[in-house]
Amino acid sequence: MHPHLARLSTALTAVDPETPKIHAWGYKLAAVLSGGGRLLACGNGGSAAEAQHLTAELVGRYRADRRPYAAIPLHADTSSLTAIGNDFGMAELYARQVRAHGRPGDVLMCLSTSGTSRNVTEAAEAGRQCGLTTWALTGPGPNPLAELCDEALTVPADDTATIQEVHLTVIHMLCDVIEKAVV
């Protein structure tokens, strides 16, 4: 087996016991979204792409044709990002948006392969202060982001690409549960 595939297979096998958590998150998020709440998602680099992938599946569709849900990738508003970064510093990029867009009962999904990205940990702290449910998808635990969030799914892998690929798998599992719960 190719080394990349072997790393991915090992990581997926390690995350498989987390399937009940993924299902619980999916049902919780389905209830929040179908009840008029929203999902906010944040990450940097590849994790930002994964966050946007998740929100796109919810605003658009994963497999089923259903109503769109309120899901916002916090990195996608470049005007807000550049203004916040300029006026308040990079650590506030997501936290300020969480305080602006988040409402009690909403969900904040924080993605970070390292679990140490300051702007993502600050977002998690802001989410907790604003009454959001905070979840983390990270690389190996323990890490600061996993500790800050209400719940976390950590991927025990050292390779960033492998962690991101597992995160995408988890995202698709979440979307599958959500669509089965609401269709």
Side-chain angles (χ1 to χ4, degrees):
M1 180 181 284
H2 187 277
H4 185 86
L5 294 175
R7 286 189 300 274
L8 182 57
S9 178
T10 299
L12 288 169
T13 299
V15 169
D16 185 54
E18 298 285 3
T19 298
K21 179 184 288 183
I22 297 165
H23 280 253
W25 285 8
Y27 287 117
K28 164 79 174 174
L29 191 50
V32 168
L33 296 172
S34 63
R38 69 189 79 170
L39 170 72
L40 307 179
C42 64
N44 296 303
S47 294
E50 301 295 358
Q52 191 164 349
H53 190 120
L54 172 58
T55 60
E57 300 282 23
L58 297 172
V59 174
R61 69 173 178 173
Y62 176 57
R63 288 192 174 111
D65 191 11
R66 48 140 177 89
R67 76 179 183 106
Y69 293 115
I72 303 168
L74 297 179
H75 68 281
D77 182 351
T78 56
S79 295
S80 290
L81 281 183
T82 56
I84 293 166
N86 185 62
D87 294 346
F88 300 98
M90 297 299 283
E92 281 293 305
L93 282 185
Y94 300 134
R96 191 160 181 88
Q97 292 183 79
V98 168
R99 289 189 288 273
H101 301 300
R103 303 294 179 261
D106 288 347
V107 174
L108 172 65
M109 177 69 79
C110 300
L111 293 92
S112 172
T113 57
S114 69
T116 61
S117 301
R118 184 155 178 234
N119 58 359
V120 180
T121 59
E122 292 292 328
E125 185 60 41
R128 289 178 58 184
Q129 292 170 356
C130 293
L132 280 69
T133 297
T134 56
W135 295 334
L137 288 176
T138 74
N143 61 66
L145 182 59
E147 299 295 322
L148 276 170
C149 287
D150 296 316
E151 293 186 62
L153 191 150
T154 61
V155 177
D158 296 325
D159 182 63
T160 298
T162 300
I163 295 165
Q164 290 171 340
E165 289 165 346
V166 173
H167 287 177
L168 181 57
T169 300
V170 170
I171 285 166
H172 284 154
M173 291 171 71
L174 277 172
C175 291
D176 190 54
V177 172
I178 291 164
E179 288 194 348
K180 286 178 180 171
V182 298
V183 172

